[in-house]
Structures are given as C-alpha cells and as structure tokens.
Amino acid sequence: MEYSGMFAEIAQSLARDYEDIFYIDIETGKYSEFSPSKMYESMHVPTKGEDFYSETRENARRYAHPDDREFAEGLYYKEVMLEKLKDRKSFSYKYRIMVSGEPRYFRFTIIPANDGEHFVLCVKDINDEITAEDLHKKHVTFSQIAESLASNYDVIYYVDLSDNSYVSYTTNNIFGKLEVQNEAPDFFEEARRIAPFIVHPHDIERVLERTRKDFLLSELESKKAFGIEYRHIIEKEPQYIRLRARKSSDKKHLIIGIENINDEKKKEQDHLKALNTERELARRDELTGTKNKTAYAELEKSVQTNIDNGVDYLPFAIAVCDINLLKQINDTEGHSAGDEYIKASAKLLCNTFVHSPVFRIGGDEFAVFLRGDDYTAREKLIKNLKDKVQKNLKGQNGPVIAVGYSDFNPETDGKVTGVFERADKMMYENKRQLKE
C-alpha cells in the first residue's frame, strides 16, 4: 500500500473514535463537519458552516445540560480556544448534552492543525461504549486530519495482520537513544525483543501479556479500541506511556499509537494532591487546626449510614466539651487573648485524646469522637482531663473546659445525635459543677 493509502487508513481508523469531527478556520470561523453517523453517511458530503463560534454557542444554549450550559457556552470563543491551546498540543473538556431528554456525557478535544490556520475539534460520546460507523466523505483532506490526530501520539505503528510486518511513523522520539525502525518484518517479535530493555521491570510481564497478537485481536473483537498504560525507562528515569490499539477500517491491519503521558500523569497527581489539600483545608478549623463543624457533620452522616444499613460499627463514644471563661477573657483582655485561650483549649484536648479526631463545632464548643485505644481508655482520659482542668482552675492558669461523654449502645441507640445529646447533657452538668 502506498504512503497516502496508509495515511488514509489511519485517518479513517482514528476518526471512528469520534461522533463528530469539525475542521475549523481559526480566523474566520468557517468550518466543515464530518460525522460517521448514518444520517450524514447517506449524504456523502460534509456539512458546512460560516461561524463555528457563534453557532456552537447557540447549540450549547439549546442542548447542553442546564448545569453545564454556562461552562459550555463560555468555551466557544476564538480567544478562549487559542488561550486553552497555548503551549499544548491539544485541549480536552467534557460536559453533558441532552439527547432524547436524557443527559449524556461528551468529550471534546481541540487539536491545532499543522498549517497553523485550522483547528480540528473531535467530539466523542463517553457515556458508554458505542460503535462508530465508517467515515466516508468526499471533499475532505484526510491527510490533514490524520496528521492532527496523529500529533497526539509520539509513534504510530501500522501492522499488517497477514504477516505481522509494520511501518512506524515517529513524531517525537520518546525512546531516548533507541532507534525505531521505519519498517520491520514482525512487529510482535520486535516488541518482545526490545521490551526488556525499555519497559519498567514491574510492568514488563503485563506489557508482554497484553501486546501479544492473539490477546489484542481477542480484545478488539468486542471493543473498537484497547489501551494500556505502563512505564518506559528513558535515560534511566521511568516515564508513563499509553499504548492504544485499534483495527483499521479494512480489518486487515492494526494501528497502534504510543504516547508519552508523563506530564499528564504528573499534572493529575499534582491536581489530586492540591484537591485533597483543598478538601482537607475546607474541613479544618482555621484558628485551632482541629477539624471543623463540616467535618463533624460528614463523620456523623457516615456513621449514621452504617447504623441504618445494619453494619456492625466499631465501639465509639462522643465527648462534648465547652470552654469556660471565654466571654470574660474577651471582655477584659480582648479577642486576641480569647483566640489564644481557644487554641490552648484545643491543644489540651488533642494532647488528651491523641488517637481520636477533635472537632471545633462552635465558637467555644468542641466534640471528640472517641475510638480505638481512646475508647478503651475513655474513663481514664476523661478523668485526666478533668484533673487537669481542676488544676488550671485552682491555679488560675490554663484553659478550663467542661466535658461530658456518652457511649454508643448498638442495642438501644438508633441515632448518633442521641449519643451526642446525652454527652451534651453531661457536659452542662460538669459546667455547673465547675462554676460552683
């Protein structure tokens, strides 16, 4: 097969991954739409449009899920799309589209064409796995779309299934100093030969198993594409790689794309770390560093769900604590002194109940979820706290905290709030004793 014929095969195979492909003039917004759907297949011509940006914003207003409408509409401006693609070879986003009254998730990928004057926008239904129809359209430059789609990969292998020979197209040399052949007699034999030298030792067995010819053909009987992620050793450092395989439209070839996704993985890990940090901060009391009222409500809801579902929950108790003398300190010494008093109280609780989460659930109120070793030693720990408070009270130095606690009884307690209310009642009794 000639070079152009192979490229056309690659374009058709890659295009079948999508429901729609738009070829857009960046400056004017004029576009052609290529769809593998049956509705367009019978026409044999691409759909044309004069202003991709305004027409797509209107479609977003009409068809996007109400919760996603503002997000979707805001994407389709020339300046926004150019900014999203700055320093990137592609940009992807997703939102829901109402289809027959039901929302379905779609992923949209924008890729700059090699001529610098066009975008290629690929639309994929990711709500479930569907089979795309063949893309047969006239008046479309398949090589342009193929090059744009191929730019997502570092290497593409075009494997003849009759004899396993292949041709490779390399866009970026991700293999370091390893020279990749343009043509070779047996792709699978070559893969087995070089894998031990470039694949991470922990991934080698999985990679060899899942890149066998029989395995790939078996997977592609029921799927239009198969993918695997693993690590290459490149210049003595591990780099994450994604391999995707699919059959060509003639069913006689495999098209295997390999992409370096190390930066993508790092961004995902950094984003997850930042997200976890953000979530953790949202559940932390800014003044004391203990968990806050939101975190307590989430814990209470989780425990209550287990109780409602009949799950045997581990023994626990709840301690409710209230700071005495805070108003007096605020009135006589100022709120800065009051804040220091609150922090000292939180520190005393954390040092007492070292194995249990402490929550600040109000201005001067704390709750402790006693579990594990703290639950076993709860009576001793409560006594230690009360002894320390008495010492502070007599010496007029250090926080004075009223405390009450109550155990969860699985035979009689149906609500976590009932345990809290009993502890709260005991706390007020202790508060009265401290005042006396």
Side-chain angles (χ1 to χ4, degrees):
M1 182 180 291
E2 296 181 355
Y3 177 87
S4 60
M6 292 181 183
F7 230 57
E9 287 287 356
I10 292 173
Q12 291 177 353
S13 298
L14 293 175
R16 288 207 315 276
D17 247 5
Y18 304 100
E19 275 59 66
D20 274 303
I21 298 176
F22 295 86
Y23 188 65
I24 307 148
D25 187 302
I26 296 174
E27 187 61 34
T28 66
K30 289 184 178 181
Y31 68 91
S32 297
E33 178 186 3
F34 310 99
S35 172
S37 67
K38 290 183 178 180
M39 179 178 68
Y40 286 101
E41 185 182 37
S42 62
M43 297 171 64
H44 296 286
V45 292
T47 299
K48 304 288 186 181
E50 294 298 319
D51 189 340
F52 168 81
Y53 306 111
S54 64
E55 291 177 28
T56 309
R57 290 197 299 271
E58 176 60 26
N59 285 336
R61 284 190 288 269
R62 293 174 61 188
Y63 301 116
H65 188 281
D67 292 345
D68 300 341
R69 197 168 292 155
E70 183 177 355
F71 166 76
E73 187 179 345
L75 289 164
Y76 298 111
Y77 292 88
K78 178 176 69 176
E79 296 77 10
V80 173
M81 296 177 80
L82 287 172
E83 179 63 26
K84 295 293 187 184
L85 282 170
K86 189 176 181 181
D87 300 325
R88 298 182 181 181
K89 61 183 180 181
S90 66
F91 169 67
S92 295
Y93 53 92
K94 64 183 177 181
Y95 56 84
R96 289 164 291 177
I97 293 177
M98 303 303 295
V99 180
S100 301
E102 295 294 329
R104 293 185 70 83
Y105 274 101
F106 285 75
R107 181 171 60 233
F108 305 80
T109 302
I110 306 170
I111 308 167
N114 287 352
D115 63 6
E117 298 178 356
H118 294 83
F119 293 134
V120 175
L121 174 63
C122 303
V123 183
K124 181 176 178 61
D125 185 333
I126 58 173
N127 218 58
D128 51 26
E129 289 295 324
I130 64 171
T131 302
E133 302 293 334
D134 288 340
L135 182 61
H136 296 300
K137 297 291 175 287
K138 295 181 180 179
H139 312 300
V140 55
T141 309
F142 270 118
S143 61
Q144 182 72 58
I145 293 177
E147 288 173 3
S148 299
L149 295 175
S151 67
N152 280 326
Y153 298 99
D154 297 282
V155 183
I156 293 179
Y157 296 98
Y158 189 73
V159 184
D160 190 324
L161 290 173
S162 65
D163 61 6
N164 299 339
S165 63
Y166 72 90
V167 178
S168 66
Y169 303 92
T170 306
T171 56
N172 294 301
N173 189 3
I174 63 170
F175 298 107
K177 297 179 180 180
L178 178 67
E179 294 184 1
V180 181
Q181 292 179 318
N182 287 328
E183 296 185 38
D186 192 323
F187 171 83
F188 300 102
E189 180 61 35
E190 185 73 4
R192 285 193 297 272
R193 184 183 70 80
I194 68 172
F197 300 101
I198 62 174
V199 178
H200 193 286
H202 292 169
D203 298 339
I204 184 68
E205 184 177 347
R206 181 167 57 94
V207 170
L208 289 175
E209 169 66 22
R210 299 190 179 190
T211 55
R212 294 195 339 260
K213 182 178 180 179
D214 59 340
F215 180 89
L216 289 174
L217 293 180
S218 175
E219 288 293 309
L220 293 173
E221 282 295 321
S222 57
K223 302 174 183 176
K224 61 181 179 181
F226 168 76
I228 179 177
E229 294 181 4
Y230 58 96
R231 289 163 293 177
H232 271 182
I233 301 299
I234 301 174
E235 296 181 353
K236 299 183 179 181
E237 293 294 329
Q239 298 264 320
Y240 279 95
I241 300 297
R242 179 185 293 129
L243 178 150
R244 286 183 65 82
R246 56 174 60 80
K247 279 188 177 181
S248 63
S249 58
D250 64 6
K251 308 300 182 184
K252 297 178 181 179
H253 296 83
L254 277 183
I255 296 173
I256 299 174
I258 293 182
E259 178 185 7
N260 188 323
I261 59 169
N262 206 59
D263 289 344
E264 178 184 324
K265 281 289 186 181
K266 186 177 185 304
K267 286 180 181 178
E268 286 180 2
Q269 292 164 359
D270 290 346
H271 176 69
L272 183 60
K273 182 179 179 181
L275 188 62
N276 288 337
T277 300
E278 182 181 343
R279 287 174 175 170
E280 183 64 20
L281 289 175
R283 290 156 178 76
R284 287 281 174 186
D285 177 58
E286 187 175 351
L287 178 63
T288 64
T290 63
K291 295 180 182 295
N292 61 17
K293 188 175 183 179
T294 299
Y296 179 80
E298 290 177 350
L299 175 64
E300 182 182 84
K301 181 179 179 180
S302 174
V303 175
Q304 187 62 54
T305 298
N306 285 330
I307 294 173
D308 292 342
N309 292 334
V311 177
D312 290 334
Y313 204 81
L314 294 175
F316 71 90
I318 295 176
V320 177
C321 308
D322 190 89
I323 305 172
N324 281 18
L325 307 177
L326 180 60
K327 184 177 185 306
Q328 178 182 332
I329 293 173
N330 283 333
D331 291 343
T332 58
E333 301 179 42
H335 285 278
S336 293
D339 287 347
E340 292 301 317
Y341 189 65
I342 293 171
K343 288 194 284 186
S345 300
K347 184 177 180 180
L348 174 57
L349 293 174
C350 291
N351 288 341
T352 302
F353 306 105
V354 295
H355 301 297
S356 300
V358 177
F359 305 83
R360 186 183 179 202
I361 58 175
D364 56 0
E365 190 173 11
F366 290 82
V368 185
F369 190 82
L370 297 168
R371 61 189 182 187
D373 292 342
D374 284 356
Y375 175 81
T376 303
R378 61 195 181 283
E379 293 183 0
K380 180 181 178 181
L381 295 177
I382 294 293
K383 182 179 184 303
N384 290 345
L385 176 62
K386 288 183 175 181
D387 289 346
K388 179 63 177 175
V389 166
Q390 286 293 337
K391 182 178 179 181
N392 292 344
L393 187 61
K394 290 178 181 178
Q396 296 185 350
N397 182 29
V400 176
I401 305 172
V403 60
Y405 84 96
S406 180
D407 295 341
F408 168 68
N409 187 335
E411 295 182 0
T412 58
D413 285 323
K415 298 291 182 182
V416 179
T417 52
V419 183
F420 181 94
E421 288 168 1
R422 290 199 303 269
D424 194 49
K425 183 177 180 181
M426 296 297 294
M427 180 274 292
Y428 275 106
E429 176 62 24
N430 184 231
K431 193 175 185 73
R432 182 186 64 77
Q433 293 171 354
L434 290 173
K435 287 182 178 180
E436 290 177 351

